[in-house]
Amino acid sequence: MGFTVLIPARLASTRLPDKPLADIAGVPMVVRVAQRAEQSEAAQVVVAADSPRIADACSRHGVRAVLTRNDHPSGSDRLAEACELLGLQDDDVVVNVQGDEPLIAPALIDAVAHLLERRRDASMSTAAHPIASVEEFRNPNVVKVVLQSDGLALYFSRAPIPWWRDGFAAGITALPEPAPLRHIGIYGYRAGFLRTFPRLPQAPVESCEALEQLRALWHGHRIAVHVTPDDPGAGVDTPEDLERVRSFFAAG
């Protein structure tokens, strides 16, 4: 069996109410995400919904969905329940595609899945791309990652890492070489690890940085990172993001 794409979809959103159901050229956003994921090599694409409204919208457009509890504290908890509902085996590879990424590249999904299939020493996989501007490097909303020589993650941070001591002595005015890496929020897991991950105690560094993936590193798990030259672009977090994506689909 090939890998499974799971798309967690939560109805509540602070900045964009009912975000998964936001209309994009006549189709709900979460369905647009699933349609992109279906262009990957995944054996199945499933939306893990917290509301019957999301599940019903998916059904109307021929997208498979499972209804999960609506009180999960995180997306990984929702995905762990979805693994149980789908009866996935511990070694099955699951790719978590965020439900607000209607422009995600199918090739990126494939790359993250196949990387984890190859890297038996890793519990998770993810992706990153080179940062092109100082502004992006300084932005705490842009998560950075530093790698080991074998492509495993050393650390993720909202801070500008690696810190270029000599170059930044007078302030961050240029980028170090090679270019620092921006983390892309897509994850591959083995279903067995995904079942146990939400039960791991939260790491102090995780709560400090507000980055859930640091829990895996803190507990000694390895995260393999696929580096792509392409910037996948921002997801949909604000009304402005939504209008940008609507314009893309309207242009056809």
Side-chain angles (χ1 to χ4, degrees), residues 13-76:
S13 173
T14 303
R15 287 181 287 183
L16 202 59
D18 292 354
K19 182 163 72 167
L21 302 179
D23 182 274
I24 300 177
V27 177
M29 178 162 60
V30 69
V31 172
R32 289 287 186 190
V33 176
Q35 290 171 340
R36 293 286 283 192
E38 287 169 350
Q39 296 175 40
S40 74
E41 298 171 10
Q44 59 180 344
V45 175
V46 183
V47 173
D50 79 338
S51 164
R53 290 176 59 200
I54 298 174
D56 291 346
C58 290
S59 178
R60 287 196 299 272
H61 291 273
V63 171
R64 186 179 181 188
V66 293
L67 188 60
T68 62
R69 288 166 31 201
N70 62 8
D71 59 349
H72 284 303
S74 72
S76 55

Side-chain angles (χ1 to χ4, degrees), residues 82-102:
C83 285
E84 295 299 324
L85 293 172
L86 295 171
L88 297 182
Q89 301 300 305
D90 283 351
D91 277 345
D92 289 343
V93 170
V94 173
V95 178
N96 172 9
V97 173
Q98 299 301 317
D100 57 4
E101 297 280 354

Side-chain angles (χ1 to χ4, degrees), residues 63 104 122 144 214 217:
V63 171
I104 191 166
K144 278 70 71 173
L214 290 174
L217 294 183

Side-chain angles (χ1 to χ4, degrees), residues 152-166:
L152 295 175
L154 266 175
Y155 190 66
F156 298 85
S157 182
R158 298 181 182 279
I161 58 171
W163 182 261
W164 184 18
R165 186 196 64 176
D166 296 337

